[in-house]
Amino acid sequence: MLEYYGNPDKSRLPGLLERPTSGNEDVIRSVDEILSDVREHGDEALLRLAERFDGARPDSLFATPGEFAEAEALVSPSLRKAVDEACSNIRRFHEAQLPKGEVVETQEGVVCSRRIVPIGRVGLYVPSGTAPLFSTVLMLAIPASVARCRDIVLATPAKNGKVNPAILYAAKVAGVHRVLKVGGAQAIAAFAYGTESLSPRDKIFGPGNRYVSFAKLRVSSFVAIDMLAGPSEVMVVADRSSDPVFVAADLLSQAEHGNDSQVVLLIREDEAEAARIYSEVRGALSGLLEELPRADFMLRTLENSVAISYPSSEDILYAVNLYAPEHLIINTSDCDELLEGVENAGSVFLGPYSPESAGDYASGTNHTLPTSGWARSSSGVSTDSFIKKITVQKLTRKGAGLLAPTVMEMAAAESLYAHRKAMEVRTCR
Amino acid sequence: MLEYYGNPDKSRLPGLLERPTSGNEDVIRSVDEILSDVREHGDEALLRLAERFDGARPDSLFATPGEFAEAEALVSPSLRKAVDEACSNIRRFHEAQLPKGEVVETQEGVVCSRRIVPIGRVGLYVPSGTAPLFSTVLMLAIPASVARCRDIVLATPAKNGKVNPAILYAAKVAGVHRVLKVGGAQAIAAFAYGTESLSPRDKIFGPGNRYVSFAKLRVSSFVAIDMLAGPSEVMVVADRSSDPVFVAADLLSQAEHGNDSQVVLLIREDEAEAARIYSEVRGALSGLLEELPRADFMLRTLENSVAISYPSSEDILYAVNLYAPEHLIINTSDCDELLEGVENAGSVFLGPYSPESAGDYASGTNHTLPTSGWARSSSGVSTDSFIKKITVQKLTRKGAGLLAPTVMEMAAAESLYAHRKAMEVRTCR
């Protein structure tokens, strides 16, 4: 596990940092069948597929007030308190992200502005397989609610007819309007095509298994999606100041996400010191594995993982920006300085006291982040993801007169004479 | 042309507003061949394909300083002045869009922030077919330059070995770093895969014909693109206060974009008044068509177009938001009030003196806008399109201690025990 490479030639980095891949061929046919089934048969298909995949035909497609009340009673007071506190932090950070729009008089009588408008109908998908990801409910619904989306629908499977109580509770506190008790590719189909009881969504958000991801890819030619989510990944930057137990615990928390997730440790020290740190981290890993359930599972994940050292910050940052990690933990004495050189990352965790799990749940940042190197071009989900910015221009008569020569000259040079005419007629009336 | 429907039942609107579609099957094979050719043979394929499609094998793949100087001399002083003035307005508006990021202490000792970081390597595509779209150079390169992207490459075909001089001049003033003399799907392939002389791009921007659009769709599974651009479209809202010549000129400037573009006129009046306005607009159309070249071409486009009237603003706004037009001209006496109800549009042109051509060229807004109804979920290109927002969190030791109970409770409820451990170890050291 965690194979170590000291100061490797940079040309080797793309190979060392290659992400695990998995084929998708087997899911294509199944997803396509589900998509056309829901498209053709609507609600009836959703109920039939719920029975087939989730063990029961639900009494209603949407969670009822009674189900919400029942769920709240089933969630322990301590978990309710934790969800409420996480919600408050996440809401605070996402409210600060709401843009105000701009108004600029670019030249006399020409006023350009951007209007901030929420996306109307959004669909949020939250899986509920081995573990109910109620934290993801918060990460998607809070920004939607902060952006004031008009119609916020969350879909999640109802195993044997029941939605997980923590998911229903989180949906309520986060501002979800309706919970659709449907999971998998069929939920994505309902969002994309609409059914008798659900209008088509303007944008679809949320993680999921390969079926859900492939369904999102399929419908993305006609409906917006948040991102194509791949396996989760973390890069940890350490040096001699880092507590090896902290480093090991961070690596393990990524490892428990599954054996296609990836863990990379970067040590900024010369080879001798790096080798010493590496062996301390391995020791701490062994110690923690003894305390934790599912050690075998995490060990298998760590087989995909590597540790790499470079003595210089420059080379460490080169590796970071080449890999473009979803999560980047900078646990070094000069973390703020290193941050200045980070160009590609989803979310950064600075210093010894900022584990990834803080941001996964409750610090306030969003945990829906670009994977598979998409951090080179894309940001994670934020309040921005739930709004549009519509540009507006208004010219006065005088402004139109002053701008006309520029527009008319350019339109003629592009051989667009009706464009020129539309400006010209404004100058003579 | 411009068939008229007075006060139609709203259930008919989706049919009346249906966009023209065109098949793509014939381009698929050709684009796939070009993509693999460039992927396998790099620069050599680019030179060979330029010879095949653009009539000459260029001496160099990138425009030289000599070519820039020659181009500048070939552009008339009046066009240079117009480009400079447009550039200044566009730059002013896009500079105002640069976000500052936020810093929020969500709870004691927990600081969350967003860092604004430019996307590193961008590829901008600008077609140069019947007309050289040098205005698009400004619309893509200015925001890239305002965002401070490190490597801004523009690709455009060099017909018979020569790039259009206005495109080269615009590239220079707008801040392009290098101009790749390659067009079509092969330019998109070079951006996506990279070649010996060009590193792969992090994001690809720009309009193009069906080959270019399909190539962008193909590579979008692994490289970010700005949007899938469909045929251009305009919706004009008029009432008894609108000058019919202004309305007609605006409809025609959309019509000259080609026969798959779409033009919709909405008249907010009762049927009798609307019919009168409709006939005045038709009269103005006929008058203007006599003054303009390519009247036959525009007439054919107008065959796809409709005029629809409703007496109420509410119904007019329903039609606007259902259609989600790329361009929306609100040429009514109460345009500012109507704007408040606009939820779905790319860019809005307010009042009598704001033709679409003002924004196409020089008002300061961007003309790269969502088509085909994507305005329901998406914004046009802006400075935002060239930046990433990386979230950062930093917890103090005390902050970690205060947040730990929340994180640990939630992690355990999601059965993620290593996540809990990573927080727990921070509380005991």
Side-chain angles (χ1 to χ4, degrees), chain A residues 79-277:
Chain A
L79 183 55
R80 287 212 300 268
K81 180 160 176 275
V83 169
D84 293 352
E85 290 194 3
C87 189
S88 153
N89 286 349
I90 297 165
R91 188 173 287 277
R92 196 162 289 147
F93 188 50
H94 286 76
E95 273 170 356
Q97 293 168 6
L98 253 186
K100 286 170 190 52
E102 308 82 24
V103 182
V104 180
E105 186 165 11
T106 53
Q107 67 174 61
E108 191 186 345
V110 179
V111 174
C112 297
S113 57
R114 288 202 296 179
R115 264 171 70 78
I116 309 302
V117 179
I119 297 175
R121 295 169 300 199
V122 297
L124 318 178
Y125 184 72
V126 172
S128 179
T130 40
L133 294 184
F134 59 85
S135 59
T136 301
V137 177
L138 304 183
M139 297 298 176
L140 299 176
I142 292 172
S145 153
V146 166
R148 297 180 194 272
C149 295
R150 193 177 354 99
D151 184 14
I152 306 172
V153 173
L154 184 134
T156 195
K159 291 287 168 198
N160 302 311
K162 291 273 181 201
V163 175
N164 176 278
I167 286 184
L168 277 188
Y169 179 72
K172 189 188 136 192
V173 300
V176 166
H177 299 133
R178 284 181 293 167
V179 172
L180 179 68
K181 299 189 289 182
V182 171
Q186 54 273 32
I188 305 304
F191 283 164
Y193 301 115
T195 68
E196 299 89 326
S197 57
L198 181 74
S199 54
R201 304 289 93 188
D202 299 322
K203 192 168 180 180
I204 300 173
F205 295 79
N209 59 20
R210 295 192 299 147
Y211 293 84
V212 168
S213 296
F214 186 70
K216 282 173 71 182
L217 176 64
R218 272 295 205 230
V219 303
S220 67
S221 61
F222 65 92
V223 59
I225 62 171
D226 54 348
M227 61 181 72
L228 298 172
S232 188
E233 57 206 27
V234 73
M235 198 168 232
V236 177
V237 182
D239 66 4
R240 68 184 70 193
S241 78
S242 320
D243 186 321
V245 173
F246 293 3
V247 172
D250 291 339
L251 299 179
L252 287 176
S253 54
Q254 190 62 39
E256 76 180 335
H257 276 304
N259 58 21
D260 55 358
S261 73
Q262 199 176 17
V263 174
V264 180
L265 172 62
L266 297 176
I267 307 173
R268 190 203 43 204
E269 296 289 355
D270 64 34
E271 270 194 75
E273 182 65 15
R276 188 189 64 74
I277 293 169

Side-chain angles (χ1 to χ4, degrees), chain B residues 14-235:
Chain B
L16 290 176
L17 297 175
E18 200 170 343
R19 291 168 163 91
T21 55
S22 54
N24 251 341
E25 293 69 20
D26 51 323
V27 306
I28 295 182
R29 192 194 303 187
S30 161
V31 166
D32 283 344
E33 278 172 13
I34 290 170
L35 292 178
S36 19
D37 190 5
V38 173
R39 188 179 189 177
E40 282 169 38
H41 301 108
D43 289 342
E44 172 51 31
L46 294 181
L47 292 164
R48 182 165 27 77
L49 292 164
E51 187 166 15
R52 180 166 144 208
F53 291 111
D54 304 321
R57 189 179 171 99
D59 295 332
S60 62
L61 272 175
F62 291 94
T64 62
E67 286 173 272
F68 275 100
E70 191 188 351
E72 188 161 345
L74 286 171
V75 178
S76 72
S78 58
L79 183 55
R80 286 210 302 268
K81 180 160 175 277
V83 168
D84 293 353
E85 290 194 2
C87 188
S88 153
N89 287 349
I90 298 164
R91 187 173 287 276
R92 196 162 289 148
F93 188 51
H94 286 76
E95 273 171 356
Q97 293 167 6
L98 252 186
K100 286 170 189 54
E102 307 83 23
V103 182
V104 179
E105 187 166 11
T106 53
Q107 68 174 61
E108 190 187 345
V110 179
V111 175
C112 297
S113 57
R114 289 202 295 179
R115 264 171 71 79
I116 309 301
V117 179
I119 296 174
R121 294 169 300 198
V122 296
L124 318 178
Y125 184 73
V126 173
S128 179
T130 40
L133 295 184
F134 59 87
S135 59
T136 301
V137 177
L138 304 183
M139 297 297 175
L140 299 176
I142 292 172
S145 153
V146 165
R148 297 180 193 275
C149 295
R150 192 176 356 99
D151 184 14
I152 305 172
V153 173
L154 184 134
T156 195
K159 291 287 167 199
N160 302 311
K162 290 273 181 203
V163 175
N164 176 278
I167 286 183
L168 277 188
Y169 179 72
K172 188 189 138 192
V173 299
V176 166
H177 298 133
R178 284 181 292 166
V179 172
L180 179 67
K181 299 190 289 182
V182 171
Q186 53 274 31
I188 305 304
F191 283 164
Y193 301 114
T195 68
E196 298 89 324
S197 56
L198 181 73
S199 55
R201 304 290 94 187
D202 298 322
K203 191 167 180 180
I204 300 173
F205 295 79
N209 60 19
R210 295 192 300 146
Y211 293 85
V212 168
S213 296
F214 187 70
K216 282 173 72 183
L217 176 64
R218 272 296 205 232
V219 303
S220 68
S221 61
F222 63 92
V223 59
I225 63 171
D226 53 348
M227 61 180 72
L228 297 173
S232 189
E233 58 206 27
V234 74
M235 199 167 231

